């Protein structure tokens, strides 16, 4: 090969390399740009992972639930026997406390006290307890003491341990199922005091029986030791003392309100005129106490409710009666009512001393009978013109204050909190007590000459839709001098002989 050709060949190679160099530079720049982008993505990922690790287990659980709800993350597709959980002892109560006490707020907190007090009231209904004391202690615990028979402490034949421990630690264990120990009781399911034990950080119980003082302590529902005798008791002294502190793991707010507990004890004192209830607050700076005992019963309860509302009656109407349910068991009912010059209805209903806030069949029976009775009275005494506007229950309940208390051997409540009665037969029993039989009816004139009545046959209240310019009677008979009129919505008048 000639030298000239060699030089040309070398020159061409150099020129070719020169042409390739810009492309290589561009490739290098793109490569560097790509690597930088990858580094930024890696940094972002590391930051995200670090943030994820810092989340609390609660947030992670909440995030999983949200993802499941949004369909982003599905639950474990494998569903086997290993996934079935069996809760034993008092575990169900701690797992789902609201099912037993309504909620875990202030309402549920005070419900713990009511459950223990209700056991003492059941002893009073059976005729064995006459004094019930409640104290709010300095450290925030509550003590409930009664002078009933005391919870049995002897060996249970089936459980082979003290009956006291069985009552305090086993759900659905109690003496209110066979109706031999308690004919009527507010406790029904045998879960009340055991629920309190389960939701308490600690609970102590003392029983006074047979001249001895028995004791046992529990921590979150579990006994610290066996039931033991810690001393002697007076030979005639009997009763039960329960002290507990609500568990901070369950209740965020563990502060009891004196007024809330006192209001419940006041109700029970009205409903049980033979029982004395006392509450004392021992907390620093809040020392106070009250004692409740009302011989007048629910009639006095009605006057207490209407203390700030002027009554248009001389005294409350009181009714009491009894009948048998479908199984032949005796059901008792008592009602007290009066009217005031207001327009609101205030009716309070109780079943075995339990406040049925949502009413039930007993309330339905009372309202039905009240409407029918007063309509019949108005028609017979020509207080409402024939073929005129028909009076309704709302007309008769305007300005009404009433307390209805029934004693039912086998009440059917809706849930453990017992806010509504479901026994269908109670409606008819209450109706029969309120509705007067025909043979007891007396004339309007005779009623005006008599003293204020106390029987359902002579209810002195009638509400009429007669216009204010019309005569109050269709006959020439002059209404009694004691008649009091009040014109309300639609020209309603209220007559009280």
């Amino acid at each position: 090969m000639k030298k000239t050709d060699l030089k040309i060949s070398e020159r061409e190679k150099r020129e070719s390399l020169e042409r390739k160099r810009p492309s290589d530079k561009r490739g290098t720049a793109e490569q560097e740009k790509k690597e930088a982008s990858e580094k930024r993505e890696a940094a972002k990922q590391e930051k995200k992972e670090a943030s994820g690790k810092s989340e609390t287990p609660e947030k992670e659980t909440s995030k999983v639930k949200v993802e499941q709800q949004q369909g982003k993350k599905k639950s474990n597709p494998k569903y086997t026997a290993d996934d079935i959980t069996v809760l034993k002892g008092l575990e169900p109560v701690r797992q789902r406390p609201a099912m037993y006490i309504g909620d875990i707020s202030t309402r549920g907190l005070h419900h713990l006290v009511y459950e223990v007090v209700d056991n003492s009231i059941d002893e009073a209904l059976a005729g064995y307890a006459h004094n019930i004391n409640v104290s709010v202690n300095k450290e925030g615990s509550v003590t409930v003491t009664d002078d009933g028979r005391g919870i049995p402490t002897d060996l249970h034949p089936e459980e082979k341990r003290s009956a006291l421990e069985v009552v305090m630690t086993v759900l659905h264990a109690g003496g209110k199922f066979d109706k031999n120990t308690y004919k009527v009781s507010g406790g029904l399911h045998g879960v009340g005091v055991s629920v309190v034990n389960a939701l308490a950080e600690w609970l102590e119980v003392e029983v006074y029986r047979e001249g001895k003082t028995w004791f046992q302590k529990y921590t979150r529902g579990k006994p610290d030791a066996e039931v033991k005798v810690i001393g002697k008791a007076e030979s005639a002294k009997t009763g039960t003392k329960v002290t507990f502190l609500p568990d901070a793991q369950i209740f965020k707010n563990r502060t009891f309100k004196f007024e809330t507990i006192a209001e419940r004890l006041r109700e029970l004192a009205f409903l049980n005129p033979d029982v004395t209830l006392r509450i004392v607050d021992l907390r620093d700076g809040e020392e106070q106490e009250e004692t409740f005992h009302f011989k007048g019963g629910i009639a006095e309860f009605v006057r207490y409710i209407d203390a700030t509302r002027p009554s248009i009656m001389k005294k409350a109407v009181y009714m009491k009666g009894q009948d048998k349910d479908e199984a032949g068991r005796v059901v008792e009912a008592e009602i007290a009512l009066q009217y005031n010059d207001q327009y609101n209805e205030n009716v309070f209903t109780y079943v075995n001393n339990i406040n049925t806030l949502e009413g039930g069949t007993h309330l339905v029976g009372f309202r039905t009978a009240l409407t029918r009775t007063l309509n019949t009275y108005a028609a017979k005494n020509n207080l409402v013109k024939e073929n005129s506007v028909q009076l309704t229950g709302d007309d008769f309940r305007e300005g009404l204050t009433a307390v209805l208390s029934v004693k039912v051997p086998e009440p059917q409540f809706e849930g453990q909190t017992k806010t509504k009665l479901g026994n269908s037969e109670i409606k008819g029993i209450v109706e029969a007590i309120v509705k007067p039989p025909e043979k007891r009816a007396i004339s309007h004139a005779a009623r005006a000459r008599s003293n204020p009545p106390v029987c359902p046959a002579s209810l002195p209240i009638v509400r009429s839709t007669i216009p204010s310019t019309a005569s109050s009677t269709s006959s020439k008979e002059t209404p009694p001098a004691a008649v009091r009129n009040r014109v309300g919505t639609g020209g309603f008048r209220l007559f009280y002989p």
Side-chain angles (χ1 to χ4, degrees), residues 89-346:
L90 299 178
E91 291 179 6
V93 182
R94 294 187 62 83
Q95 189 81 7
R96 298 287 185 269
M99 177 180 174
Y100 298 88
I101 60 172
D103 58 42
I104 54 175
S105 64
T106 302
R107 174 170 167 253
L109 178 72
H110 290 83
H111 192 83
L112 298 180
V113 182
Y114 303 159
E115 287 285 2
V116 181
V117 171
D118 287 345
N119 283 343
S120 300
I121 287 294
D122 288 341
E123 278 289 288
L125 286 176
Y128 297 101
H130 303 283
N131 297 279
I132 300 172
N133 298 319
V134 178
S135 65
V136 183
N137 305 314
K138 290 185 177 181
E139 77 277 18
S141 64
V142 170
T143 299
V144 179
T145 308
D146 66 58
D147 58 353
R149 290 168 291 184
I151 301 174
T153 57
D154 51 327
L155 199 66
H156 191 274
E158 295 181 6
E159 294 289 329
K160 304 302 180 184
R161 50 180 170 157
S162 173
L164 173 61
E165 183 176 324
V166 173
V167 169
M168 301 300 297
T169 61
V170 179
L171 291 176
H172 307 293
K176 301 168 186 176
F177 293 104
D178 57 10
K179 296 304 174 186
N180 292 325
T181 307
Y182 299 92
K183 298 295 182 182
V184 174
S185 64
L188 303 172
H189 311 130
V191 301
V193 71
S194 56
V195 166
V196 177
N197 193 14
L199 301 179
E201 183 176 321
W202 56 263
L203 183 146
E204 296 177 348
V205 57
E206 292 183 17
V207 176
Y208 312 107
R209 287 174 66 100
E210 302 167 354
K212 299 178 181 178
T213 300
W214 304 79
F215 174 83
Q216 190 172 36
K217 184 176 181 179
Y218 312 84
T219 301
R220 294 188 171 90
K222 297 179 180 180
D224 293 351
E226 294 183 356
V227 178
K228 60 182 178 181
V229 176
I230 60 172
K232 294 182 179 180
E234 298 177 10
S235 58
K237 183 179 180 180
T238 60
T240 304
K241 177 182 177 182
V242 177
T243 304
F244 68 93
L245 178 68
D247 194 350
Q249 296 179 3
I250 304 295
F251 302 95
K252 294 181 180 179
N253 180 9
R254 296 191 294 172
T255 303
F256 289 100
K257 294 182 179 179
F258 180 89
E259 296 78 9
T260 302
I261 301 175
E263 188 63 32
R264 174 57 179 161
L265 298 185
R266 183 183 289 107
E267 282 183 348
L268 292 171
F270 280 123
L271 296 168
N272 302 273
D274 296 329
V275 181
T276 301
L277 295 101
R278 176 175 173 266
I279 179 173
V280 57
D281 194 338
L282 302 176
R283 291 173 292 188
D284 294 335
E286 299 183 28
E287 293 85 353
Q288 56 183 318
E289 69 174 273
E290 282 195 57
T291 301
F292 307 107
H293 180 76
F294 306 103
K295 293 183 178 180
I298 63 172
E300 191 172 349
F301 194 3
V302 167
R303 291 194 294 271
Y304 169 79
I305 296 170
D306 268 359
T308 59
R309 291 184 284 266
S311 173
I312 60 175
M313 299 175 63
K314 295 178 182 178
K315 66 178 182 179
V317 176
Y318 178 77
M319 297 168 264
K320 185 175 182 180
Q322 65 180 35
D323 203 343
K324 293 185 178 180
D325 60 13
E326 298 172 348
R329 296 177 292 252
V330 176
V331 176
E332 297 180 359
E334 58 177 338
I335 304 163
L337 64 88
Q338 70 179 19
Y339 282 87
N340 55 61
D341 65 354
Q342 305 298 308
Y343 297 95
N344 297 324
E345 173 192 12
N346 293 286

Side-chain angles (χ1 to χ4, degrees), residues 37-62:
S37 177
E38 290 176 353
K39 288 181 180 180
R40 285 195 298 271
E41 290 296 329
K44 288 181 180 180
Q45 186 65 25
E46 290 178 0
K47 186 176 180 180
K48 186 176 181 180
E49 290 177 356
S51 176
K53 289 179 180 179
S54 64
E55 290 183 351
T56 61
E58 290 81 2
K59 289 184 177 180
E60 290 178 358
T61 304
S62 177

